[in-house]
Amino acid sequence: AARAAGRAAARASARPLASGIDRTIGDKELAEEKAYFNKEDEKNLRALLKKIKTQADTNEAAKGDHERKERAALAEVLKGHALPADVVDKLVEWRHRHDL
């Protein structure tokens, strides 16, 4: 009977230890999972940033081309009228105002 009581006590004391080990293993797995997803997030954000920079560069180049075409069209409309360059600039700015 004493032997059975000793075994029961040993099992009871082993459970908190096993529970602590399980918790430690679980914490380690959670930390590894978090690190993995942090790396994946960083990789995806870098790819997104690269894409955004590429689009911004493309848009900037297209903007310059659009501005040249717009000024050429305005020059065609104003043909025969000698307007100073600053007036032409003000006309282009006025065309793009959004508060009217």
Side-chain angles (χ1 to χ4, degrees):
R3 199 175 204 183
R7 277 187 254 162
R11 273 187 257 136
S13 66
R15 286 192 181 164
L17 179 61
S19 176
I21 290 172
D22 289 343
R23 191 175 314 119
T24 302
I25 291 172
D27 291 346
K28 183 181 177 193
E29 288 174 348
L30 286 175
E32 288 173 352
E33 182 178 337
K34 186 175 181 178
Y36 170 79
F37 283 110
N38 283 343
K39 286 179 185 178
E40 288 296 307
D41 287 346
E42 182 181 357
K43 184 173 75 173
N44 290 334
L45 287 171
R46 286 185 189 279
L48 181 60
L49 180 61
K50 182 178 178 183
K51 183 176 179 180
I52 289 170
K53 284 182 179 180
T54 301
Q55 287 178 345
D57 292 344
T58 302
N59 288 343
E60 194 62 35
K63 180 181 173 185
D65 188 44
H66 176 74
E67 188 174 329
R68 281 189 295 278
K69 288 179 182 177
E70 183 177 55
R71 287 184 178 274
L74 184 58
E76 184 66 30
V77 169
L78 298 174
K79 192 186 308 183
H81 301 283
L83 294 177
D86 65 320
V87 173
V88 173
D89 292 340
K90 287 179 183 179
L91 282 171
V92 171
E93 287 176 24
W94 171 81
R95 182 177 186 274
H96 290 281
R97 284 180 48 192
H98 298 285
D99 60 343
L100 299 176

